[in-house]
Amino acid sequence: MLRTIKSILVVITLAFFMQSCDDRLNLQPEDERLTADAAFEDPAAYKEALAKIYAGISLSGQQGPAGAPDLAGLDEGFSNYLRLYWKMQELTTDEAIIGWNDGTIQDLHGQTWTSGNEFIRTMYTRLMYQVTLTNEFLRQTTDSKLDGRGVDATLRAEIQTYRAEARFMRALTYWHAMDLFANPPFVTEDDASGAFLPEQIQRADLFTYVESELLAILAEMAAPRMNEYGRADRAAAWMVLAKLYLNAEVYTGTARNADVLTYINNIIGSGYSIPNIPYFHSFLADNDSNGAQEEVIFTIPFDGLRTQAFGGMTFLVHAPVGGSMNPADFGINGGWFGVRTTPTFVEQFPGEENSADGRALLYTDGQNKDIEEVGPFNQGYAVAKYRNVDVNGNPGSDSSGDHTDIDFPMFRLADAYLMYAEATLRGGGGTMSTAVGYINELRERAYGDTSGNITETDLTLDFIIDERSRELYFEAHRRQDLVRFGQFSNQGIWQWKGGVPQGATTESYRDIMPIPATDLGINTNLEQNTGY
């Protein structure tokens, strides 16, 4: 399968010409090129090409764990899609701080980044690379291409579903690009292959495009919970639509909270459930089979033997382990002494480290709550959310202890419940009693009983932004949530924001990331986002 995927990638000519020579997207050498028709001679190649698109989020290249990267110019582990996206959404907030001093990584938590930040640049590049993969897959699966290859009716029907999933993955990626960069370059399968300078699309127009793509593919997506594990279905598309609408006022200036409820209600009515298991089981090595999977709407699968990379869940398990933490308790061979959290996050839990709320997966032994210095691992409580062991404490499948089996829950029912409550409070419809019922279902799992339950008078927007953090921390939602609530840049304060120990507000333009200077230097069609 890997050999076929490599062959397919050879025929992909990148439409984005963004990097300097030492940083250009790296495919195959010229003398290994194949024709597209040769790459797709094997009928199985279509599904394998789709698998590469899905793997674009979890893997970093063509050879695990490293050695043949998709992107050049940054360490391969750093260039992984999920690892970069997590950093954009978490390290920039009160939920996470990292002690490393690699390049400009400290500028993320400090919110002092510039258009030359290499982590922001590589996130941007990764997004564009993912779009390019999906565009080429769609070009190679048109009716005329399939006719020319003599594809039979049975396979052709399967390919139509693959095409819908590829369009979903592109919509997901463009949503991430719109959320982070607002006004990125824009290319679809209708543009010619080859090197050219893409036009820039404005955020509101990209919103319309992503919305239209998701609506167009709904009928062709598998019914909720009916696709193969790890592949997107109709509920995943509903969830991205609901995310678009929940953030619509940020993206377009017009609220769409009634539309949020339409698609959230579709999801809630599709058979997902909050499993009767402890909260922490949802983030263990067997979260694909221990009951946690009943809640998950869209997951990014990881396997310690088959999806080896130094990004993704390998990063999310190793990087938060250090100090007196025992790596064996986390099913790994050692910690990377990197990620901790801030007092602002800790204080959201009543009783803090002794909270009755079972979601407070904090490690405090030998750790200072306050962060007097960013570098030392013992500054700030550690977060023990992801552990590469099963419910019985057995480690994951990779006996070396490097790579993990934990699947990343990109969307889960708890998020949908919280979105229902927020959209209701924002005037989208719904009922307060239903919203309270959903919140209390989550809190009963967290507390193990009804002692943490709330009433309608407790349910406010201030409660929701904190509850979203308590439930969804370290799942790559926080930056987006803080922006939507107006607490990301020029209002919220937490330690080391602004690059100072006590924290400081930053400029409001930092709600949007800069277009990388390297791309601006090449593509004259682009204009920098305001403030940079």
Side-chain angles (χ1 to χ4, degrees), residues 34 49 67 71 119 128 134 140 148 174 178 184 190 209 269 330 360 367 419 475 486 503 509-510 516:
L34 301 177
L71 309 179
F119 297 94
M128 299 302 103
T134 57
Q140 295 299 331
Y174 266 137
M178 175 176 61
D190 295 330
Y209 172 78
F330 295 82
Q367 302 293 124
M419 291 168 68
E475 295 179 50
Y509 67 77
R510 295 190 183 278

Side-chain angles (χ1 to χ4, degrees), residues 86 89-90 95 239 243 279 283 295 345 348-349 359 385-386 408-419 422 442 445 464-478 481 484:
W86 188 92
Q89 298 289 356
E90 294 288 350
E95 287 186 352
M239 191 67 169
K243 289 286 186 181
Y279 174 82
F283 312 100
E295 179 185 356
F345 171 71
Q348 291 179 15
F349 291 99
R359 297 171 298 188
K385 184 165 185 173
Y386 298 109
F408 181 77
M410 183 169 283
F411 301 130
R412 56 189 181 92
L413 184 61
D415 191 2
Y417 279 178
L418 288 159
M419 291 168 68
E422 182 180 340
L442 301 181
R445 171 173 64 175
I464 288 293
I465 185 62
D466 290 346
E467 187 71 2
R468 285 189 62 82
S469 187
R470 287 186 286 263
E471 178 69 33
L472 301 170
Y473 66 96
F474 273 40
E475 295 179 50
H477 298 288
R478 186 60 169 172
D481 289 347
R484 186 172 67 255

Side-chain angles (χ1 to χ4, degrees), residues 42-354:
D42 182 354
Y46 294 97
K47 189 172 184 180
E48 291 165 351
L50 179 66
K52 170 59 186 176
I53 293 172
Y54 279 109
I57 295 181
S58 58
L59 300 179
S60 54
Q62 313 312 309
Q63 173 182 304
D70 292 329
L71 309 179
L74 191 67
D75 175 86
E76 185 171 343
F78 280 99
S79 72
N80 170 262
Y81 189 126
L82 180 57
R83 179 168 171 171
L84 287 163
Y85 186 70
W86 188 92
K87 286 177 180 176
M88 298 300 111
Q89 298 289 356
E90 294 288 350
L91 284 185
T92 57
T93 76
D94 55 353
E95 287 186 352
I97 189 168
I98 196 165
W100 304 341
N101 201 30
D102 298 272
T104 58
I105 198 168
Q106 292 296 339
D107 295 348
L108 297 179
H109 187 83
Q111 294 193 13
T112 57
W113 56 74
T114 70
S115 61
N117 184 285
E118 67 266 40
F119 297 94
I120 294 173
R121 180 188 72 233
T122 310
M123 177 80 263
Y124 175 95
T125 306
R126 177 59 74 176
L127 293 167
M128 299 302 103
Y129 176 80
Q130 185 78 354
V131 167
T132 302
L133 289 181
T134 57
N135 284 345
E136 190 61 23
F137 179 82
L138 293 170
R139 291 189 190 103
Q140 295 299 331
T141 53
T142 61
D143 286 340
S144 62
K145 289 286 188 181
L146 300 181
D147 288 342
R149 297 178 191 136
V151 175
D152 64 42
T154 300
L155 179 56
R156 188 183 291 257
E158 292 178 10
I159 290 171
Q160 296 315 303
T161 300
Y162 300 163
R163 284 176 58 85
E165 291 179 44
R167 290 171 71 182
F168 166 81
M169 292 297 288
R170 181 176 61 185
L172 177 72
T173 300
Y174 266 137
W175 169 53
H176 289 164
M178 175 176 61
D179 184 71
L180 292 169
F181 298 100
N183 312 300
F186 181 70
V187 176
T188 73
E189 73 276 21
D190 295 330
D191 292 291
S193 296
F196 68 99
L197 300 178
E199 296 293 328
Q200 188 170 27
I201 191 169
Q202 297 303 299
R203 199 180 215 182
D205 295 328
L206 186 52
F207 177 99
T208 300
Y209 172 78
V210 173
E211 178 188 28
S212 66
E213 279 287 281
L214 292 167
L215 292 172
I217 63 175
L218 287 176
E220 297 174 343
M221 298 288 284
R225 309 181 75 230
M226 297 301 291
N227 211 343
E228 291 179 280
Y229 184 81
R231 288 173 60 186
D233 59 24
R234 198 171 302 145
W238 287 338
M239 191 67 169
V240 179
L241 280 167
K243 289 286 186 181
L244 281 179
Y245 298 138
L246 188 67
N247 294 283
E249 192 165 3
V250 172
Y251 299 153
T252 71
T254 302
R256 299 281 296 272
N257 291 301
D259 293 320
V260 175
L261 291 176
T262 295
Y263 291 100
I264 289 298
N265 283 329
N266 286 350
I267 292 167
I268 291 172
S270 294
Y272 300 95
S273 61
I274 302 299
N276 186 27
I277 59 175
Y279 174 82
F280 76 92
H281 283 193
S282 292
F283 312 100
L284 297 180
D286 57 350
N287 66 348
D288 61 338
S289 59
N290 67 15
Q293 74 277 9
E294 298 303 316
E295 179 185 356
V296 177
I297 298 162
F298 184 55
T299 190
I300 307 301
F302 286 86
D303 183 287
L305 299 178
R306 298 176 180 85
T307 54
Q308 294 187 345
F310 289 107
M313 295 310 302
T314 296
F315 167 76
L316 288 179
V317 178
H318 284 268
V321 173
S324 64
M325 302 168 81
N326 182 2
D329 293 341
F330 295 82
I332 55 175
N333 55 17
W336 292 355
F337 289 73
V339 177
R340 297 96 66 202
T341 194
T342 74
T344 303
F345 171 71
V346 172
E347 290 163 6
Q348 291 179 15
F349 291 99
E352 299 181 6
E353 67 268 27
N354 298 313

Side-chain angles (χ1 to χ4, degrees), residues 301-309 397-398 403-407:
F302 286 86
D303 183 287
L305 299 178
R306 298 176 180 85
T307 54
Q308 294 187 345
S397 60
D398 178 16
H403 304 289
T404 70
D405 292 338
I406 309 166
D407 297 340

Side-chain angles (χ1 to χ4, degrees), residues 475-505:
E475 295 179 50
H477 298 288
R478 186 60 169 172
R479 174 195 155 275
Q480 184 182 99
D481 289 347
L482 289 174
V483 169
R484 186 172 67 255
F485 278 78
Q487 297 178 22
F488 179 69
S489 55
N490 63 340
Q491 293 189 48
I493 294 178
W494 49 86
Q495 286 186 357
W496 293 98
K497 180 184 174 184
V500 294
Q502 72 276 16
T505 59

